[in-house]
Amino acid sequence: MNFLHVIFRGLWRRPVRTGLTVFGIAIGIAAVVTLVGMASGYEKSVVKQLDVAGIDVIVSNMQGGIMPKAFDQSVRDAVAAMPGVAAASATLMQMLSVEDAPMMVVSGREWGSFIWDQLRVVEGRMPRDASERAVVLGTLAAGVLGKKVGDPIQIETAELEIVGIVDGQSVVENGAVILALPLFQEASGYEGRINFVNVRTAPDVGDAGVAALCRAIQAAHPGLRAVKSAEVVGTSQGFQVAQAMSWSTSMLAIAVGILGVMNTMLMSVFERKHEIGVLLALGWQRSRIMSLILCESAAMGLLGGIVGVALGAATLAALQFAPDIRGLLEPDLSWSLAARAVLIAVAVGILSGLYPAWRSSRLSP
């Protein structure tokens, strides 16, 4: 009988109990994969949106969280006049309840600016001008709302007409309701206010020039932040809070798993006093007895991690079609997240087995 055989025989001694413990670990790991995958997916969606639109610098007041507070629209003109700025576009973006959809991105954009350029018409047409009382829907938004070209749509206090369905080439864009900035300002009561200035720098402006431009914008407009588009996610308080909440909630589920594995291994040690005593009498070192128990708990952690990753992946796939989430983000499950989740599960198993392993090594032959 080899060491590996002893490990799996110990786990198979009480298959129902072992299975329930593995499932408990799997639930905690699935929570990690689901919550962190959702947060990571939203971050990647935002980064892709900025990349597709060709935005180099974002000017905003990020004290408002994921959706910043509004500020005066005149900032856009001041930023556009700065050296190194090729184009600047004003945007008012809000997360609103739109008809039957509980939460949807509504984006009011400066008419004629480059921020419209990446939109590709799938059906219908674009608005004729900034004064036309019309909107276009991203492909996902049209599906969520159940709307087609020619249908009316209620945005806050205004009833507008859907004139087109567009492909924005990113999940955030495809899940948005898009209209001219003055229309959204009027409908939402934010006349003359915006919460983003999207900046495209001149081709000859390098990284150092972009950093200098950000400092100049912040110096000229205290209270606002100007950051490179690649750094928006990493420096946003809203994204940082979302990540922290994801991990802290996941850790609570993992703590429950630790207690479950510890309880299982303690019961296993108590039930196998005779077997452990015989092994000690046959010459097994106490360190080897400890290794046996730790390997058994680590094996349960490994199994729980694999099952948990599978459950988390299935949950993320299902969430893409949930009405409250569809169109807002694209959940992300990377190989690095899956590997981290399995390593966490193994670590949970080892930590849970430390005390039972020590108890087992104290038994007398």
Side-chain angles (χ1 to χ4, degrees):
M1 181 184 300
N2 59 36
F3 190 74
L4 192 62
H5 183 267
V6 175
I7 291 172
F8 284 101
R9 193 187 69 170
L11 294 177
W12 192 249
R13 180 186 298 271
R14 294 286 187 270
V16 174
R17 185 174 67 195
T18 299
L20 290 174
T21 304
V22 168
F23 185 70
I25 299 173
I27 294 297
I29 297 303
V32 173
V33 172
T34 302
L35 295 173
V36 177
M38 288 177 64
S40 174
Y42 188 72
E43 292 175 11
K44 287 188 175 181
S45 299
V46 171
V47 170
K48 184 177 180 181
Q49 177 197 12
L50 299 177
D51 183 60
V52 167
I55 298 171
D56 298 311
V57 175
I58 295 286
V59 181
S60 64
N61 179 352
M62 291 306 293
Q63 292 180 4
I66 293 180
M67 285 300 168
K69 293 181 179 179
F71 52 88
D72 195 271
Q73 189 172 339
S74 62
V75 172
R76 178 264 178 214
D77 297 330
V79 170
M82 287 186 167
V85 176
S89 172
T91 301
L92 177 63
M93 186 180 295
Q94 299 289 335
M95 301 278 282
L96 301 175
S97 173
V98 178
E99 298 190 357
D100 293 335
M103 195 66 66
M104 183 160 287
V105 175
V106 182
S107 177
R109 304 179 177 189
E110 180 182 348
W111 183 255
S113 64
F114 69 89
I115 203 69
W116 290 84
D117 294 345
Q118 83 275 10
L119 302 178
R120 300 289 179 264
V121 176
V122 175
E123 185 181 347
R125 61 177 176 83
M126 298 293 284
R128 294 187 180 92
D129 53 45
S131 62
E132 183 181 7
R133 299 185 67 78
V135 306
V136 294
L137 302 182
T139 52
L140 290 174
V144 170
L145 293 169
K147 298 284 188 177
K148 60 183 184 299
V149 173
D151 288 346
I153 184 171
Q154 187 75 30
I155 305 294
E156 295 291 79
T157 61
E159 184 175 289
L160 307 172
E161 181 187 359
I162 299 169
V163 297
I165 309 297
V166 298
D167 177 12
Q169 305 178 62
S170 72
V171 174
V172 174
E173 292 282 76
N174 286 337
V177 179
I178 303 168
L179 67 164
L181 177 59
L183 290 176
F184 190 34
Q185 288 173 326
E186 177 188 349
S188 60
Y190 280 91
E191 287 88 348
R193 310 281 287 174
I194 57 176
N195 56 2
F196 289 103
V197 177
N198 307 300
V199 179
R200 182 178 285 177
T201 57
D204 58 344
V205 176
D207 289 341
V210 173
L213 174 62
C214 291
R215 291 193 296 270
I217 293 173
Q218 292 180 163
H221 304 281
L224 299 183
R225 280 199 320 152
V227 296
K228 298 178 183 178
S229 58
E231 299 174 359
V232 168
V233 170
T235 58
S236 168
Q237 292 180 355
F239 288 117
Q240 292 170 359
V241 169
Q243 282 279 20
M245 290 181 64
S246 298
W247 279 106
S248 59
T249 304
S250 301
M251 290 303 105
L252 289 175
I254 289 174
V256 174
I258 290 176
L259 294 176
V261 175
M262 185 178 297
N263 180 66
T264 296
M265 295 312 301
L266 279 173
M267 293 180 67
S268 176
V269 168
F270 292 147
E271 292 172 355
R272 295 159 64 188
K273 283 183 178 180
H274 179 73
E275 175 187 337
I276 293 172
V278 170
L279 292 174
L280 287 169
L282 290 174
W284 277 41
Q285 299 294 321
R286 295 185 182 277
S287 59
R288 196 178 187 192
I289 296 294
M290 290 186 67
S291 299
L292 172 67
I293 302 302
L294 287 174
C295 287
E296 288 184 10
S297 58
M300 281 197 291
L302 177 62
L303 291 173
I306 294 171
V307 175
V309 168
L311 287 175
T315 303
L316 285 175
L319 284 174
Q320 294 188 58
F321 303 99
D324 292 348
I325 294 177
R326 189 181 176 197
L328 292 177
L329 58 87
E330 183 179 20
D332 173 64
L333 175 60
S334 61
W335 285 109
S336 62
L337 174 57
R340 277 187 293 165
V342 172
L343 288 175
I344 289 172
V346 174
V348 165
I350 293 173
L351 287 173
S352 305
L354 287 175
Y355 179 66
W358 178 81
R359 285 293 301 269
S360 67
S361 68
R362 299 299 95 194
L363 295 176
S364 171

